[in-house]
Structures are given as C-alpha cells and as structure tokens.
Amino acid sequence: MSSPATTITFFFFFTLSSFFYITSSLQNNNNNNKHTATVNSLNIPSAAAEITLVNPKLPPRSLSLTSSKKFEGSSNLVHLRYHMGPVLSSSPINIYVIWYGQWSRPHKSLIRDFLNSISDAKAPSPSVSEWWRTASLYTDQTGSNVSRSVLIAGEYSDSKYSHGQHLTRLTIQEVIASAARSASFPVDHKNGMYLVLTSHDVTMQDFCRAVCGFHYFTFPSMVGYTMPYAWVGQSGKQCPEVCAYPFALPGYMGHGGPGELRPPNGETGVDGMVSVIGHELAEVVSNPLINAWYAGEDPTAPTEIGDLCEGLYGSGGGGGYIGQVMRDREGKTFNMNGKGGRKFLVQWIWNPNLKACSGPNSVD
C-alpha cells in the first residue's frame, strides 16, 4: 500500500494472511526534495500516441520485502512453496461485496469496474485480465488452476454502520455474519469469498498505522462456516500518503497531498484502494485458508504472492523506481486497461513460472 531526499518510507507489507504492514526507513541524499523520472515515447498509433512511458523515482523502500532480491530476476532468495491446501479453482470465483459505511455511486462504480475487468478479455493490452493470468498459474494438489473467471455474485450495503465506525479484525467477522444473513448470501464454500470494503469514515484496528488491507477466513463460531474473505479500507481522508501511495506523499516530504503520480480515475483514495484490492484478491485465490502458496515457515505470518512484489508496477522497478508505467495527456498514471475504457495502476504479483514479479505491461 517513495525519491531522493531525507525521507521516511512507508508501505512495508507484512502479512498475517496478507496484512499490509507499513514500516519506515530513513535515507539521506543530497538531492533534497527533487523527483526524477525516465521518460520514453510509447510508439503506438492514433490518439493513444499521446501516452508516454515513465518510470518515476520515488523514495526507495530499503526495508521492504523486495529490497533483498533482484526485482525482476532470479528467486534465489525467495522460497515460495505449496503447502498442500486448496486454491480457488472452481469457475467462476464468486465475490460477495459488502459495502460498509457511506459509499458514493461513482466510488462503487470504479471498484465494480475493476472487479469486472478481471474477466474482461475485450480490454486492450496491457489489461487487468492479462494481469490476472499470473494469479491463474497457481494450482492445487490435483493440478487445478486458480480460475480466470471472477464474478460479483452479490452485494450488500451496510450504510448504517451496524457494528459501529471503529472495527477490529474480530468485528469484521461480525460484519460478514450480519451481511450474509441480511442479504441471504449463499454458503458458497467451493468458489466464494467475501470482500469487505469500508468507507473513508470507518476506522479499523491498525489501519493506516500498520495495515491497508488483509485477508483471512471466517470462523464457524462467528459466521457459521469457514469461507475466505478480504478487507480493504478507503484511506482518502485518513491516510492517503500511506495507503493510496504513490498517488499521495507524506507532508514532511515537502509535498503534502497528491504526489507526483496522478490517479488514473481522479480519485486518490479509491484509485489507491484498487491496487490494495488487487493485492488481496491475488492472495486470497492462491492462499484462501492460509495453507496453500506462501514463502516462509510461519503460517501466521506468511509472505504471499502480492507481498513479494509490493511497490512494483512495471519493468525496471527497484532502487526507488516503481517501474515503467504509462502516463496519458492529462498526466494520469496507469499500467493496465480495464472494462469500459477504465485505467488502473495495480501492483505486479509473483509469477511461479518466471520466479519473478511480472505484469502485463512488462517490456522484457
């Protein structure tokens, strides 16, 4: 959930089933408060020719997971292993969205469009559906792959904050239980998952301080059955410089607000949220019960396929660069195309075949 100068870098994603943990690192540099970027022309015809390729330099993540290995090379230091658990292989993967708090129609539409883009093969390359192909490379012990088909199977709006405006990791399960009863969601063990999205005015235990999103599974004692879920918060008014990074930078960097990168849909908080949602979804489908694909020996703190590529959005990432992404004539930054002409900036995920981070906008 980053430019030369004396900086404190947020966004170390450390997981208890993919919690986004934010750490800080300090680096001194004589080029105080300067941002640099490599810029190349994208050689494509028509109006789209006004798009350029850029690789912005942002504060380096010296304590992040990705700093200990080559960003796009060998995985000599990464031991991602399969632990014999299930993946979400049944088609389609049914997502039951729970909108908790006050959500505007445009914000809901933006997130729906991202979710619907996962299965939209009509979007031009590089696309969200091409990005999802990496997630679909993961298999279970029967050889079945994660499904390429994702469907919004149901939605429920809890606009009255039925469990208050401050939630914890346990009360999230109560939110799910209430929504499942009220919306009559089916018990979809085989290919279902819940996606809980909290609005800008809802606080969560450790949100902004240590997490931007996480995933786990429901407890039968609280929900009645076991089913994977993910939670992501809208950080637009609470901590955009942390959870909507790199669309906003911390004030002490001398920028104090929207950063060098403009969000592709003009919504700093929700555009930033989309990448966190992508991170969590990729990890839910490849490790739904925290016993399938992850690195490390501790299942209570697994390093998953999104964690391994935190902060990378394109080729040439690392050393303070997020990687080569695209910028349109309005200055909006993105790396993937989606449904209905939408554009998104979504982090890469770990490719088990390449043993490296990869995405559809790779130029290698």
Side-chain angles (χ1 to χ4, degrees), residues 28-29 44 78 114 155 165 178 190 212 221 226 251 276 362:
N28 292 322
N29 189 294
I44 52 179
V78 176
F114 172 69
E155 298 183 49
Q165 287 183 256
S178 297
K190 193 173 181 182
C212 296
S221 61
T226 297
V276 182
S362 171

Side-chain angles (χ1 to χ4, degrees), residues 35-118:
H35 293 264
T36 60
T38 57
V39 181
N40 297 300
S41 294
L42 185 63
N43 186 21
I44 52 179
S46 72
E50 296 184 42
I51 293 174
T52 57
L53 291 176
V54 296
N55 190 354
K57 181 149 189 176
L58 302 171
R61 294 173 169 82
S62 61
L63 294 182
S64 72
L65 287 166
T66 50
S67 66
S68 63
K69 65 184 179 62
K70 185 177 177 183
F71 284 91
E72 298 178 86
S74 134
S75 63
N76 292 336
L77 299 177
V78 176
H79 301 288
L80 184 74
R81 295 193 299 117
Y82 176 55
H83 297 264
M84 305 306 291
V87 300
L88 296 187
S89 57
S90 296
S91 187
I93 296 170
N94 291 323
I95 297 180
Y96 299 92
V97 182
I98 300 170
W99 305 96
Y100 192 86
Q102 297 293 320
W103 283 91
S104 70
R105 188 171 298 176
H107 287 175
K108 281 186 174 182
S109 178
L110 198 165
I111 292 172
R112 285 193 194 105
D113 285 348
F114 172 69
L115 296 175
N116 288 326
S117 294
I118 293 173

Side-chain angles (χ1 to χ4, degrees), residues 92-99 115 150-156 176 179-180 183-197 225 227-230 281:
I93 296 170
N94 291 323
I95 297 180
Y96 299 92
V97 182
I98 300 170
W99 305 96
L115 296 175
V150 175
L151 175 71
I152 299 176
E155 298 183 49
Y156 177 73
I176 292 171
S184 299
F185 287 151
V187 180
D188 198 352
H189 297 293
K190 193 173 181 182
N191 57 340
M193 64 163 288
Y194 296 116
L195 178 60
V196 184
L197 305 174
Y225 46 85
M227 201 161 126
Y229 73 87
L281 289 183

Side-chain angles (χ1 to χ4, degrees), residues 259-336:
E260 182 174 343
L261 304 189
R262 290 189 61 195
N265 299 287
E267 296 287 349
T268 295
V270 183
D271 272 309
M273 196 177 184
V274 161
S275 188
V276 182
I277 291 171
H279 176 122
E280 296 301 333
L281 289 183
E283 294 184 340
V284 169
V285 299
S286 59
N287 195 27
L289 301 181
I290 323 303
N291 60 359
W293 289 95
Y294 64 86
E297 300 303 321
D298 185 359
T300 66
T303 300
E304 300 172 280
I305 68 172
D307 304 317
L308 291 168
C309 303
E310 176 266 311
L312 297 178
Y313 299 85
S315 297
Y321 291 91
I322 68 167
Q324 197 166 83
V325 295
M326 291 169 280
R327 179 177 293 160
D328 66 17
R329 61 182 178 180
E330 296 178 352
K332 296 178 179 180
T333 308
F334 64 100
N335 64 347
M336 299 177 198

Side-chain angles (χ1 to χ4, degrees), residues 22-33:
I22 304 142
T23 61
S24 57
S25 65
L26 202 60
Q27 176 176 6
N28 292 322
N29 189 294
N30 292 329
N31 298 323
N32 195 40
N33 292 328

Side-chain angles (χ1 to χ4, degrees), residues 1 12-14 18-22 210-213 276 279-280:
M1 122 210 26
F12 172 38
F13 286 51
F14 177 72
S18 181
F19 297 140
F20 278 38
Y21 275 82
I22 304 142
V211 303
C212 296
V276 182
H279 176 122
E280 296 301 333

